[in-house]
């Protein structure tokens, strides 16, 4: 039985639809990321699960119980906020103990559970400090301990890493995953950062304009996106406009600008249909010598070069069509300068075709 | 260039002291002056004028009335302002513009006009003006000031704190008591103090609406100087000045503690 089940949830604000007929099931102990650009409805979804917003229609069930209209203070759901939202006038220990105090636990129980929760996030030594005396990373860990101290049925996190600097963000990411596994709690993590979602999630739910686009494990989301929106949002992608010319077996040929044909995986789209052919930047190969055989080989001109450290990104021109190739920064790969002629090449298996 | 900036800021500071604190210097000096008229050249030091206040019971009783009116009206104004500031900070934009404008309205009405209106209202209602009318009008007049100060506090307030408290099991009132009010404490205290002082020194409203049993200190002072001017009034003013300074200093210290937070 799923732990959390959203069924046909719709939420409107005035005339705009924030969440549109969303259905989602999350299994016990699962770590799910809600991923999407800002304004896609992911935070509204989280706030409805937490009880701060009420759905216009649809139901939310937690452990088989309908909680759609239950007030937030009765839901037993732990929340971690982007701003940490630690109470500034209370110490770390008082912050962590707040939920237990609200549950009217005896003093001794509160103390021992606060200690346990702070030890879990490895911050036993800051118990008596005020939030202003702690670093951002420490504050976020106290916030996590505070949410977990009430032994919630579900843990919700709203962009909890966005206010941390890059290095700390990676550490906190590991830490959150370790703690979630240790506690064995079902978790939903809202983010607009695809790298975060790919690294953390058991499953990623990609949202766009209030709708659920796809929910799947990170590999499937990245390698087999369900539609062009997901493909464009995850990773860096070349999108070529064209129309289906013909289909041979599993391979569809797409006519693109300049009388060229490219081939990609067939999706049983009839000939003549306008489509988008999508190839991720790192799946495009760039070489000086023309590859001996294969599909999707085009001569091109290197026009721009961006050095990213781990990779080098080349902007190439195929006549009427611009394409980008990301090449690993490694001696085994050729390097190019703007103005050079080269060949672009990619496998049909790496090219997905979607209706426009 | 830098030298000029420094010089200008010193001149600015000197002007502030000259025009704001300068007059107080003469009042303070006069309150210790043995000369019986006011203003007059300084002759010698005496505490006579301070002692004389005790012979004027109306000053003492009116000071107490002023304190009561100020306390109650400030409490009312701060409560109303806090609730309004909460709604404005959390609610939707269009309603907020309405609410802000309505609550700022008392600023635009001259106090004399407001008091006259209230006096008429009271007589139409067949009621005498008195303590509660005075409190009500002082409170209404002070709401805009309290509102400004609480809004400033709310501008820095993270409403996620309330959501956090709620998700941890606090009901709305508990979340307010445990989180919202303590976090906004310094704006609330500042608003209250500001209202208290504004109400305590108010003359126009009290002049119209105070009855014989609720004469406030400024009204008594005003009627006193209508008949004569002597240094006793300077002594009363000096006491008020010192009290205002003391309150400000205490508040500033409270603030400094909060600001380091």
């Amino acid at each position: 039985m799923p732990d959390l089940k959203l069924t046909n949830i719709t939420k409107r604000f005035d005339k705009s639809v924030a969440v549109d007929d969303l259905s989602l099931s999350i299994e016990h102990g699962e770590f799910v990321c809600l991923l999407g650009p800002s304004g896609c409805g992911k935070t509204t979804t989280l706030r409805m699960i937490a009880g701060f917003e009420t759905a216009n229609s649809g139901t939310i069930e937690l452990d088989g119980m309908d909680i759609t209209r239950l007030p937030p203070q009765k839901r037993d759901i732990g929340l971690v906020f982007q701003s940490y939202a630690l109470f500034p006038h209370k110490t770390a220990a008082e912050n962590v103990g707040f939920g237990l105090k609200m549950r009217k636990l005896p003093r001794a129980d509160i103390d021992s559970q606060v200690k346990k929760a702070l030890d879990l996030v490895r911050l036993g030594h800051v118990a008596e400090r005020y939030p202003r005396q702690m670093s951002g990373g420490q504050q976020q860990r106290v916030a996590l301990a505070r949410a977990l101290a009430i032994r919630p049925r579900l843990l919700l996190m709203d962009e909890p890493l966005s206010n941390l600097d890059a290095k700390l963000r990676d550490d906190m990411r590991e830490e959150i995953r370790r703690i979630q596994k240790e506690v064995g709690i079902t978790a939903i993590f809202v983010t607009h950062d695809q790298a975060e979602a790919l690294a953390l999630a058991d499953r990623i739910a990609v949202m766009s304009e209030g709708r659920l686009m796809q929910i799947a494990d990170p590999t499937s989301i990245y390698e087999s996106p369900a539609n062009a929106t997901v493909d464009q949002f995850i990773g860096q992608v070349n999108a070529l406009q064209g129309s289906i010319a013909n289909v041979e077996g599993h391979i569809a040929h797409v006519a693109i600008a300049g009388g060229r044909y490219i081939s990609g995986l067939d999706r049983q789209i009839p000939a003549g249909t306008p489509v988008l052919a999508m190839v991720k930047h790192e799946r495009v190969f760039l070489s000086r010598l023309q590859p001996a055989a294969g599909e999707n080989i085009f001569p091109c001109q290197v026009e721009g070069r961006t050095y990213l450290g781990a990779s080098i990104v080349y902007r190439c021109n195929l006549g009427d069509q611009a394409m980008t190739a990301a090449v690993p920064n490694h001696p085994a790969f050729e390097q190019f300068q703007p103005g050079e002629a080269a060949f672009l090449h990619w496998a049909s298996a790496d090219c997905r075709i979607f209706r426009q | 260039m830098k030298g000029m900036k420094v010089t200008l800021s010193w001149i600015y500071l000197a002007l502030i002291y000259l025009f704001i604190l300068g007059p107080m210097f003469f009042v303070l000096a006069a309150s210790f002056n043995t000369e019986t008229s006011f203003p007059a050249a300084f002759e010698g030091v005496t505490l006579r004028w301070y002692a004389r206040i005790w012979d004027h019971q109306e000053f003492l009783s009116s000071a107490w009335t002023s304190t009561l009116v100020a306390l109650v009206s400030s409490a009312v104004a701060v409560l109303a302002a806090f609730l309004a500031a909460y709604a404005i900070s959390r609610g939707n934009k269009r309603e907020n513009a309405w609410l802000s404008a309505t609550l700022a309205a008392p600023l635009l009405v001259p106090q004399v006009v407001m008091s006259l209106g209230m006096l008429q209202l009271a007589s139409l209602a067949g009621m005498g003006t008195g303590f509660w009318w005075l409190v009500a009008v002082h409170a209404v007049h002070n709401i805009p000031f309290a509102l400004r100060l609480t809004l400033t506090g709310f501008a820095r307030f993270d409403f996620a704190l309330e959501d956090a408290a709620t998700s941890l099991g606090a009901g709305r009132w508990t979340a307010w008591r445990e989180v919202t009010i303590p976090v906004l404490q310094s704006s609330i205290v500042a608003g209250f103090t500001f209202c208290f002082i504004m109400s305590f020194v108010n003359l126009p409203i009290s002049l119209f609406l105070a009855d014989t049993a609720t004469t406030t200190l400024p009204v008594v002072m005003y009627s006193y100087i209508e008949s004569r001017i002597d240094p006793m009034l300077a002594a009363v003013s000096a006491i008020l000045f010192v009290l205002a300074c003391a309150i400000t200093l205490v508040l500033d210290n409270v603030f400094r503690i909060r600001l380091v937070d």
Side-chain angles (χ1 to χ4, degrees), chain A residues 88-102:
Chain A
H89 58 299
K90 293 179 189 283
T91 62
E94 285 167 350
N95 265 282
V96 175
F98 186 85
L100 305 169
K101 191 170 125 192
M102 292 298 112

Side-chain angles (χ1 to χ4, degrees), chain B residues 104-116:
Chain B
L107 279 178
L108 305 174
V109 183
Q111 293 182 42
V112 176
V113 174
M114 183 154 84
S115 310
L116 265 175

Side-chain angles (χ1 to χ4, degrees), chain A residues 55 107 119 146 224 232 255 267:
Chain A
R107 189 74 243 172
D119 286 342
R146 180 177 71 178
S224 329
Q232 246 155 350
R267 291 221 176 207

Side-chain angles (χ1 to χ4, degrees), chain A residues 293-311:
Chain A
E295 328 88 340
N296 304 322
I297 298 169
F298 301 102
C300 72
Q301 183 96 13
V302 176
E303 287 195 330
R305 174 183 192 272
T306 308
Y307 182 81
L308 292 181
S311 63

